Amino acid sequence: MAAVSDRLPAFPWDKLEPYKATAAAHADGIVDLSVGTPVDPVPQLIQRALVEAADSPGYPTVWGTVALRDAITGWVRGRLGASAAEHRNVLPVVGSKELVAWLPTQLGLGAGDKVAYPRLAYPTYEVGARLCGAEAVVYDDPTELDPAGVKLLWLNSPSNPTGKVLAKEDLVRIVAWAREHGILLFSDECYLELGWEAEPVSVLHDDVCGGSYEGIVAVHSLSKRSNLAGYRAAFVAGDAAVLGELLEIRKHGGMMTPAPVQAATVAALGDDAHVEEQRERYAARRAALRTALEAHGFRVEHSEASLYLWVTRDEPCWDTVAHLAGLGILVAPGDFYGEAGARFVRVAFTATDERVEAAVKRLG
């Protein structure tokens, strides 16, 4: 066990604990903007679906119920513009982080293989590579990589942490490059429904992939759009051959989405009203925090989508973390996401309206 854990980087959030203690000592309490965890209620129609499916004594299936596959394929066709999606093109997973962390292992990658991901990125892409013994490689533009040995290419649009959105023409170019070199492309699109100043596009859109899902898979989560982080409800969609192989492996591994969560996912994907209501909440919090941060001397870069503002005062990120902790505000240092983030911090706008209002007052 120690040999496996030794492959992994230090857990970054542990380094934030002293700053969290400082922020928590504020007279009016901490405003925690460091983690993008939902705080608003789970919509009632989803809760009802979960409760109604609570009497589920048997084992669920890894592929999910027919109703779940119908819901996912319908959503993928309608929302992502993937008109050819069928049941064989979808697979539920137990939260997207699990999928990201264990995907290279489940693909059979190991020593001598390369896993590529953005220079500024969600740390779990690197963790997945390390767990299977593959080499982690970062990029600014994936088409500038040496393709030799690259077996898995991660895209992330909208980006965590920066909120940057890849344009449709860039997606077309990257998909073509990956196919030319026989590289499997996985696109993490978990923030796709949270575009603010840009309209994110999926790699599965007909205009991007040409109606063929060969060599491409998109990853989606209900954690952000539907406040379901606690449900671990997510799915992948795309290349049927890749998903078929993952399905067989996951059957043996017992990686099953609980039956009540499957029912809740069906309800969530069948309703757009709660998604729009949540977007409106986030939009208001985003606008308030952005105005306050800019007035306080911060510069906002990218941030055209997702649940974060990527900001800088042109100083080392830990100096910024300490400054804001002194105001009772906790944020994530940019170097958690790569060395290129060393002068930025990530500010989540997932706190309650009351806590966001408190942060705005303190920044003022």
Side-chain angles (χ1 to χ4, degrees):
M1 290 179 66
V4 176
S5 64
D6 285 348
R7 300 175 191 167
L8 304 180
F11 190 63
W13 295 97
D14 291 343
K15 294 172 60 179
L16 204 54
E17 286 301 316
Y19 301 91
K20 185 175 184 178
T22 297
H26 191 278
D28 186 37
I30 188 173
V31 178
D32 192 345
L33 307 179
S34 65
V35 183
T37 188
V39 297
D40 300 301
V42 173
Q44 282 297 320
L45 83 161
I46 301 175
Q47 292 191 45
R48 283 196 299 271
L50 185 83
V51 171
E52 289 170 3
D55 185 14
S56 298
Y59 290 112
T61 63
V62 173
W63 201 15
T65 62
V66 172
L68 177 60
R69 282 179 266 141
D70 281 344
I72 296 174
T73 53
W75 187 86
V76 166
R77 291 173 192 155
R79 183 62 183 85
L80 302 186
S83 64
E86 301 175 357
H87 279 203
R88 64 196 186 98
N89 300 114
V90 300
L91 177 66
V93 295
V94 192
S96 57
K97 184 170 185 175
E98 169 262 304
L99 184 280
V100 173
W102 293 106
L103 178 66
T105 298
Q106 292 177 12
L107 291 174
L109 304 188
D113 297 324
K114 297 177 182 177
V115 175
Y117 54 87
R119 188 173 303 279
L120 277 168
Y122 182 47
T124 312
Y125 304 134
E126 178 186 1
V127 167
R130 288 183 179 230
L131 280 171
C132 73
E135 179 184 352
V137 179
V138 298
Y139 65 78
D140 295 306
D141 180 336
T143 65
E144 296 175 356
L145 287 168
D146 178 353
V150 178
K151 297 296 178 66
L152 174 62
L153 171 64
W154 279 108
L155 296 185
N156 180 209
S157 176
S159 164
N160 174 16
T162 69
K164 182 179 180 181
V165 173
L166 290 173
K168 183 187 289 186
E169 55 268 26
D170 288 324
L171 291 174
V172 171
R173 176 175 57 84
I174 295 167
V175 167
W177 179 85
R179 284 174 167 169
E180 177 187 354
H181 295 288
I183 296 171
L184 179 60
L185 187 158
F186 265 68
S187 180
D188 181 346
E189 301 174 353
C190 289
Y191 295 90
L192 184 130
E193 296 207 90
L194 294 162
W196 311 110
E197 297 159 6
E199 185 60 40
V201 179
S202 174
V203 291
L204 300 183
H205 194 288
D206 292 349
D207 293 346
V208 173
C209 67
S212 166
Y213 312 129
E214 181 184 357
I216 57 173
V217 177
V219 181
H220 283 270
S221 168
L222 281 74
S223 294
K224 316 300 185 184
R225 73 185 293 277
S226 300
N227 299 337
L228 295 187
Y231 284 46
R232 310 316 299 136
F235 60 88
V236 289
D239 190 319
V242 174
L243 299 192
E245 177 68 11
L246 290 177
L247 174 59
E248 291 305 312
I249 293 166
R250 295 171 70 85
K251 284 179 181 178
H252 285 287
M255 295 178 173
M256 302 172 283
T257 302
V261 174
Q262 292 190 30
T265 301
V266 172
L269 291 176
D271 179 73
D272 292 330
H274 79 276
V275 179
E276 187 55 39
E277 289 173 10
Q278 190 60 44
R279 274 183 55 86
E280 291 174 3
R281 293 187 190 105
Y282 285 141
R285 294 166 186 166
R286 177 181 183 273
L289 282 170
R290 179 169 191 150
T291 299
L293 287 163
E294 290 177 333
H296 196 76
F298 284 93
R299 184 176 74 255
V300 179
E301 292 195 1
H302 300 304
S303 306
E304 57 257 35
S306 82
L307 289 177
Y308 313 105
L309 294 168
W310 185 241
V311 305
T312 182
R313 295 204 309 173
D314 295 310
E315 66 183 2
C317 62
W318 287 99
D319 291 353
T320 306
V321 170
H323 169 73
L324 290 173
L327 299 177
I329 301 169
L330 188 68
V331 298
D335 65 4
F336 276 12
Y337 308 95
E339 294 179 3
R343 298 179 74 83
F344 288 81
V345 295
R346 192 194 73 171
V347 183
F349 42 89
T350 52
T352 63
D353 292 343
E354 183 274 330
R355 287 290 83 187
V356 168
E357 182 180 354
V360 168
K361 288 180 179 177
R362 295 175 196 185
L363 290 166

